[in-house]
């Protein structure tokens, strides 16, 4: 099968068909408008492939997620560091021990931010959400490091985003900034910069380092999701890496995307404070006249289960046990999940817990404040955004992203002078 036939107004047109590694089929409509004068329309792009990509494969029906061909379950269970996974996503191959050592050295070297940038943190109002700070600060990096030297800037944005994130948190609680430490891993540095204090010795607990490594790896890429498509769209105009990643951070912040992890915990706390009647909230979620949605449920692509949620569900129990915590929110979450999985509304619509359903509970157990959850997601996703930015730039098929529309406004009409309205 290598062509599709389209009949429009009685005329037949042939369109080429593209087949991917896993036999995914795409009808190539590049010549559709020149052949027929018509365009396709697909609100939300649920049926639109914006590019060919060799980074991440998802099979939503079978709950499969692979980075560069490697199954997420194997990556999660391996000893891979987050930076190793980032390298794999960005450069397409696993680093040799030599490449790994050099990459880690460069990562440490570039993790400091320009000293003057520390002043920026003083000027955000105290209630500013850390996602707003992260986006603004990453965009501002272009003032310090010229756009255009992409390979070096890739390292810079990866390395500095964690420092910016930790500083945003320290500023919000009025504590002094903690510099990155060269002897610590990327993950341990995040925790050390967030939780250590000059007046006390602090050693990053292994359980926290392991949990955060897993969380960030599970979030590292997810093909053409909303924020990654934003990165590709902004980058397609020729905008530099920092502006592009900054735009990705803004897209991720939305409650239907990465912001859902914060929303899940706030929803569970709300149910708890409202007497714990989770069944009433299931009914609210099903009521078409009520805007309430069960946060952490549903996914555009996964229609069976989200493999990341499956891994995290097991980890949530472990982390809570290791942290010696018994969080009643986990019971509410389990009950909601149990009811939803057996309820016709959720079954018919193929709504299952997604990655954000369990990640929030783990972040909470780790002592990470709720408004930093989506920041953690962003830190995890930066390698994916960078990989797609690089792939987009190198792809000879890339053109400025400029969708069309079907205009449904008023037909031409004469202008009405103000005094005649
Ligand atoms: N609670 C109740 N009903 C839902 C939910 C939900 N969480 N999600 C979807 N539905 C219903 C929706 O009302 C619709 O029903 P009907 O067909 O009767 O009109 C049907 O299911 C299909 O929903 P949709 O909104 O057309 O699906 P979508 O693919 O456009 O949206 C989604 C996907 C993830 C935005 C949506 O499921 C949702 O809003 N979930 C809650 C937010 C959330 O957890 N987001 C995190 C996504 S995973 C991580 C990430 O992407 O960052």
């Amino acid at each position: 099968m290598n062509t599709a036939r389209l009949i429009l107004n009685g005329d037949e047109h042939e369109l080429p068909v593209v087949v991917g590694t896993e036999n995914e089929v795409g009808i190539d409509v590049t010549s559709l408008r020149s052949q027929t004068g018509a365009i396709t329309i697909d609100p939300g792009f649920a049926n639109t492939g914006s590019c060919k990509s060799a980074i991440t494969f998802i099979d939503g029906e079978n709950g499969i997620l692979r980075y560069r061909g490697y199954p997420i379950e194997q990556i999660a269970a391996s000893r891979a560091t987050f930076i190793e996974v980032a390298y794999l996503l960005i450069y397409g191959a696993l680093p040799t021990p030599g490449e790994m050592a050099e990459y880690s050295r460069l990562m440490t070297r570039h993790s400091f931010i320009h000293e003057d940038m520390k002043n920026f943190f003083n000027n955000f109002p105290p209630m500013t959400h850390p996602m707003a700070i992260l986006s603004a600060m990453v965009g501002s990096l272009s003032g310090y490091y010229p756009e255009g030297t992409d390979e070096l800037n890739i390292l810079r944005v990866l390395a500095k985003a964690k420092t910016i994130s930790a500083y945003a948190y320290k500023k919000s609680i009025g504590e002094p900034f903690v510099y990155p430490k060269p002897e610590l891993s990327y993950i341990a540095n995040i925790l050390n910069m967030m939780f250590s204090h000059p007046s006390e010795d602090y050693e990053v607990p292994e359980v926290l380092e392991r949990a955060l490594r897993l969380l960030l790896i599970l979030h590292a890429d997810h093909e053409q999701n909303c924020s990654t498509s934003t990165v590709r769209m902004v980058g397609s105009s020729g905008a530099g890496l920092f502006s592009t990643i900054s735009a990705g951070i803004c897209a991720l912040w939305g409650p239907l995307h990465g912001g859902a992890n914060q929303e899940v915990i706030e929803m569970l706390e709300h149910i708890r404070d409202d007497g714990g009647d989770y069944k009433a909230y299931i009914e609210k979620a099903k009521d078409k006249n009520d805007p309430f949605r069960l946060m952490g449920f549903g996914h555009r692509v996964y229609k069976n289960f989200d493999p990341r949620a499956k891994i995290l569900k097991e980890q949530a129990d472990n982390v809570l046990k290791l942290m010696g915590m018994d969080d009643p929110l986990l019971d509410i979450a389990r009950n909601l999940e149990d009811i939803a999985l057996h309820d016709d509304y959720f079954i018919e619509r193929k709504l299952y817990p997604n990655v954000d359903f369990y990640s929030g509970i783990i972040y909470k157990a780790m002592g990470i404040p709720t408004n930093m959850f989506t920041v953690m997601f962003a830190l995890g996703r930066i390698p994916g955004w960078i990989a797609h930015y690089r792939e987009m730039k190198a792809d000879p098929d890339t053109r400025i992203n400029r969708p069309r529309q079907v205009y449904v406004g008023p037909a031409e009409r004469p202008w009405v002078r103000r005094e005649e309205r």
Side-chain angles (χ1 to χ4, degrees), residues 102-401:
E102 177 60 2
Y103 208 59
S104 303
R105 185 187 70 78
L106 289 169
M107 199 61 63
T108 307
R109 188 182 151 79
H110 289 289
S111 53
F112 293 79
I113 58 171
H114 193 291
E115 281 293 297
D116 291 355
M117 281 192 95
K118 285 166 47 181
N119 297 326
F120 286 24
F121 291 93
N122 296 330
N123 296 309
F124 287 103
M127 295 310 285
T128 309
H129 196 284
M131 282 297 274
I133 299 180
L134 182 62
S135 159
M137 297 291 283
V138 167
S140 307
L141 288 173
S142 63
Y144 293 89
Y145 310 99
E147 295 270 23
T149 47
D150 273 352
E151 289 309 314
L152 191 52
N153 283 349
I154 282 172
L155 271 166
R156 285 177 172 142
V157 78
L158 254 178
K160 293 181 201 305
K162 66 175 184 316
T163 313
I164 293 171
S165 304
Y167 282 13
Y169 171 59
K170 282 296 199 192
K171 175 70 193 161
S172 75
I173 54 170
E175 286 190 4
F177 298 149
V178 175
Y179 284 111
K181 278 184 167 177
E183 68 275 21
L184 296 182
S185 72
Y186 184 97
I187 298 291
N189 252 316
I190 300 177
L191 293 162
N192 189 61
M193 286 190 287
M194 283 181 74
F195 297 126
S196 69
H197 192 277
S199 69
E200 287 159 22
D201 287 336
Y202 176 81
E203 205 176 315
V204 176
E206 208 193 313
V207 50
L208 294 195
E209 190 175 349
R210 265 192 281 133
L212 192 57
R213 168 205 163 271
L214 179 70
L215 282 155
L216 265 57
I217 286 177
L218 292 181
H219 286 88
D221 192 43
H222 216 231
E223 48 115 309
Q224 311 307 323
N225 56 85
C226 175
S227 55
T228 303
S229 298
T230 301
V231 162
R232 280 186 177 261
M233 174 162 280
V234 174
S236 79
S237 75
L241 179 72
F242 300 131
S243 340
T244 303
I245 300 294
S246 168
I249 293 166
C250 293
L252 184 75
W253 189 9
L256 299 186
H257 192 9
N261 56 13
Q262 173 171 347
E263 299 278 330
V264 169
I265 284 293
E266 286 172 358
M267 172 187 78
L268 295 174
E269 285 171 348
H270 184 80
I271 296 175
R272 178 199 60 200
D273 298 345
D274 194 26
D277 184 3
Y278 49 86
K279 289 183 187 155
Y281 283 84
I282 295 273
E283 292 311 312
K284 269 166 78 66
K286 288 158 57 177
D287 182 353
K288 287 286 151 210
N289 299 316
D290 190 323
F292 175 77
R293 278 194 165 193
L294 208 52
M295 298 312 283
F297 263 75
H299 197 276
R300 172 62 63 77
V301 181
Y302 293 123
K303 298 298 174 198
N304 190 342
F305 67 93
D306 178 339
R308 305 165 301 172
K310 202 170 166 192
I311 297 172
L312 284 185
K313 184 180 174 178
E314 290 161 15
Q315 284 302 315
D317 288 325
N318 285 346
V319 174
L320 261 68
K321 216 178 286 160
L322 285 164
M323 298 296 294
M325 283 179 71
D326 182 19
D327 192 334
L329 293 188
L330 189 58
D331 291 334
I332 299 178
R334 280 203 199 98
N335 286 329
L336 281 178
E337 182 185 5
D338 198 45
I339 295 191
L341 290 179
H342 297 97
D343 186 296
D344 283 348
Y345 174 95
F346 293 88
I347 294 169
E348 278 160 20
R349 289 167 182 76
K350 300 186 189 314
L351 301 170
Y352 297 88
N354 59 47
V355 67
D356 292 320
F357 194 66
Y358 281 103
S359 64
I361 290 170
I362 303 181
Y363 287 134
K364 185 165 178 280
M366 292 170 69
I368 291 175
T370 316
N371 67 356
M372 287 293 287
F373 292 0
T374 315
V375 170
M376 296 295 133
F377 190 155
L379 292 181
R381 185 56 55 87
I382 286 175
W385 291 332
I386 293 172
H388 285 272
Y389 174 85
R390 271 183 103 244
E391 189 179 64
M392 180 268 306
K393 296 264 280 191
D395 185 348
D397 287 343
T398 296
R399 302 167 74 191
I400 186 167
N401 285 193

